[in-house]
Amino acid sequence: WLFILISVFLGTCLHFISHFKYYDKLLHFSSPIVLTFLGYGILTYFLENSRSQYPSVWFFMIFGFAFAQMCGVLWEFWEFLCDQFLGLNLQRYLLHGQPLIGRKALLDTMGDLFVNTCGSIIASFYAYLRVKKSTTQYFKNFKIHIH
């Protein structure tokens, strides 16, 4: 809920993304934290319905990290497509209406992917510290319930 508040309400509706220079980076840092835990929930859901035993904590760490990274890359594709076909400048390739050249044009996208990686590493590390002895019990807290 907090992420929805900061991204949709504050970022889009109140235009924080336009008024604060690094607001986009805050969103790219916080979303992979949520997505890493969502990855744990998805994995736990499918493991509960299978007959196999729970894998090691490292499998959860890698899956959550990879899930958040994949979502970050897909988001950057979305930004590129919106820029390419709708001229929205989501990747900040224009500065005062002038296109950026070379490395300057890549800085926003690469910065977003770097911050995304940092967020998912921090979420994975936090979960690793919380696991203690029982991988099964900890990750069941993230299980998605579909009715």
Side-chain angles (χ1 to χ4, degrees):
W1 291 112
L2 178 64
F3 181 74
I4 291 172
L5 172 76
I6 65 173
S7 66
V8 176
F9 183 69
L10 297 178
T12 304
C13 296
L14 296 180
H15 304 287
F16 275 33
I17 203 152
S18 300
H19 299 302
F20 299 103
K21 185 176 182 179
Y22 294 108
Y23 198 78
D24 180 53
K25 297 299 182 247
L26 171 70
L27 296 176
H28 280 282
F29 179 77
S30 58
S31 67
I33 293 171
V34 172
L35 291 168
T36 300
F37 294 128
L38 177 63
Y40 298 157
I42 291 169
L43 184 59
T44 304
Y45 173 78
F46 286 113
L47 288 173
E48 285 288 315
N49 296 327
S50 73
R51 293 184 180 176
S52 63
Q53 69 182 51
Y54 264 61
S56 75
V57 65
W58 290 105
F59 186 76
F60 277 93
M61 299 295 102
I62 292 169
F63 183 85
F65 175 79
F67 181 77
Q69 291 303 105
M70 179 198 63
C71 291
V73 169
L74 291 175
W75 183 258
E76 290 302 317
F77 286 165
W78 169 256
E79 286 184 352
F80 172 78
L81 291 172
C82 287
D83 290 350
Q84 185 70 26
F85 297 112
L86 303 175
L88 295 180
N89 196 29
L90 296 176
Q91 293 182 302
R92 308 292 187 252
Y93 70 96
L94 293 174
L95 183 63
H96 307 295
Q98 298 297 320
L100 298 172
I101 308 284
R103 285 186 66 82
K104 288 184 180 183
L106 292 174
L107 287 178
D108 182 68
T109 299
M110 291 300 107
D112 290 348
L113 292 173
F114 178 76
V115 171
N116 186 78
T117 301
C118 292
S120 57
I121 286 172
I122 288 172
S124 296
F125 185 69
Y126 174 79
Y128 179 77
L129 293 176
R130 300 280 305 181
V131 166
K132 306 277 190 232
K133 295 180 181 178
S134 175
T135 302
T136 306
Q137 204 53 39
Y138 178 72
F139 287 109
K140 280 186 179 182
N141 294 326
F142 297 104
K143 183 179 177 213
I144 296 172
H145 299 280
I146 299 174
H147 301 282

